Amino acid sequence: MKTKRRTAVDIVNKLKKMIVLEGLDRLPGELELSERLGVSRAVVREALRVLEYEGITRTIHGSGTFVLKKTKLRIQFNVNFEIETDSAKDIFDLIEVRSTLEKSAIALAISNSSQSDIEEFSHCMEKLSEAIKTRIELSSTDARFHKKIFEISHNRFLKEVFDVVFDGLEVLWKSPLGLETFGDAGLPLHKDLYEAIKSRDLERAFKVYDRIIEIDREDIYDLTGYGRKLLHDCQDNNGRNANED
């Protein structure tokens, strides 16, 4: 039942997208929708009931389903991917995605954050500094620090995608690494990252963050042996960037 409900929600979003992209005044019949979307007619009917409940369509028996509303539709997009536990490649790939997302969030945090945002970020830094000393709830405190960067970037889409990526990384950090202290070597640099964001120094923030990610890559290579070429390429790039500066 849960699977059917999930599928119906997916079909609702696909129908909304169809309405927007195709400018439909009337939806195709149940049979055509079933074949086009690859689901049963029962699922299509359930989705159509949702659309009618939301005031987007109206179904008239014997005539069809008519579109009443084409603007300001709320369409949900899911970030779905599978990870393979014990896969060093997957964790390398996810770290690349995380790095791209978080550097974007850092740039936006520097340009968009208010003074109150920075004060909240300061509290996160204080808690992280204490957690580094005591090692009490260190992992969750570190996670809150990074998620706060996305919050003060004021881009909710970045944050929502990051949350999914971070969930995947949490699984992979346990396997294949199986190391509770993974990422700890980069923790002292978090204060430098905080200071760079606080002072709105984008160049410095990127340099510090790149080093944090490089340390994570080094840990993965040391523990799994995977990613030597990737690590070497990243170190070469960082070296060239430093020489250019």
Side-chain angles (χ1 to χ4, degrees):
M1 185 65 181
K2 184 176 181 180
T3 302
K4 178 182 176 183
R5 196 176 302 119
R6 177 68 258 172
T7 303
V9 172
D10 291 339
I11 298 305
V12 167
N13 286 297
K14 288 181 179 180
L15 290 175
K16 288 178 179 178
K17 185 178 177 182
M18 188 186 301
I19 290 170
V20 172
L21 295 180
E22 300 179 21
L24 299 177
D25 295 313
R26 177 178 174 178
L27 291 178
E30 286 182 8
L31 179 58
E32 181 179 342
L33 287 174
S34 174
E35 294 174 350
R36 181 170 172 178
L37 300 174
V39 294
S40 68
R41 293 183 68 174
V43 171
V44 170
R45 280 194 292 271
E46 185 175 347
L48 291 176
R49 284 196 292 269
V50 173
L51 290 180
E52 187 159 11
Y53 176 78
E54 292 183 7
I56 296 170
T57 63
R58 182 183 179 190
T59 300
I60 300 176
H61 183 68
S63 297
T65 299
F66 299 89
V67 177
L68 305 178
K69 180 181 177 183
K70 297 181 182 180
T71 60
K72 296 184 178 180
L73 305 185
R74 298 180 67 87
I75 305 177
Q76 178 180 341
F77 293 89
N78 298 308
V79 182
N80 294 317
F81 58 80
E82 292 181 355
I83 60 172
E84 179 184 339
T85 60
D86 305 316
S87 171
K89 182 181 187 306
D90 278 3
I91 193 170
F92 251 101
D93 289 348
L94 273 182
I95 282 179
E96 291 301 318
V97 175
R98 172 194 174 170
S99 176
T100 301
L101 294 173
E102 195 153 15
K103 288 181 76 170
S104 296
I106 288 169
L108 289 173
I110 287 174
S111 62
N112 295 344
S113 61
S114 65
Q115 186 57 40
S116 61
D117 289 330
I118 297 300
E119 289 173 2
E120 291 178 8
F121 191 34
S122 174
H123 294 321
C124 287
M125 185 65 246
E126 290 172 4
K127 292 179 179 178
L128 180 57
S129 295
E130 183 63 25
I132 291 173
K133 293 177 184 177
T134 65
R135 301 201 64 81
I136 297 174
E137 297 184 353
L138 179 55
S139 178
S140 59
T141 306
D142 179 41
R144 284 195 292 272
F145 174 89
H146 288 281
K147 289 181 179 182
K148 178 56 70 173
I149 295 174
F150 282 81
E151 288 177 13
I152 66 177
S153 77
H154 296 290
N155 186 311
R156 68 181 180 90
F157 300 115
L158 262 180
K159 182 181 181 303
E160 289 174 3
V161 174
F162 174 76
D163 286 344
V164 176
V165 171
F166 199 83
D167 285 346
L169 282 171
E170 283 186 314
V171 172
L172 289 170
W173 283 344
K174 302 299 181 185
S175 173
L177 300 179
L179 185 67
E180 292 291 338
T181 58
F182 173 70
D184 285 10
L187 286 173
L189 292 173
H190 285 52
K191 183 65 179 295
D192 294 335
L193 177 59
Y194 158 75
E195 292 291 351
I197 294 174
K198 179 182 177 181
S199 61
R200 304 188 189 279
D201 186 340
L202 181 61
E203 183 178 0
R204 176 61 181 161
F206 277 2
K207 285 182 179 179
V208 174
Y209 184 77
D210 284 342
R211 179 54 187 151
I212 292 172
I213 294 298
E214 183 183 359
I215 290 172
D216 286 349
R217 293 192 188 101
E218 290 170 352
D219 277 350
I220 299 167
Y221 175 70
D222 289 342
L223 288 163
T224 69
Y226 177 83
R228 181 175 183 177
K229 183 179 185 304
L230 292 172
L231 180 59
H232 183 267
D233 290 345
C234 291
Q235 289 173 337
D236 280 352
N237 289 334
N238 289 338
R240 280 195 294 271
N241 291 336
N243 291 332
E244 289 171 0
D245 292 337

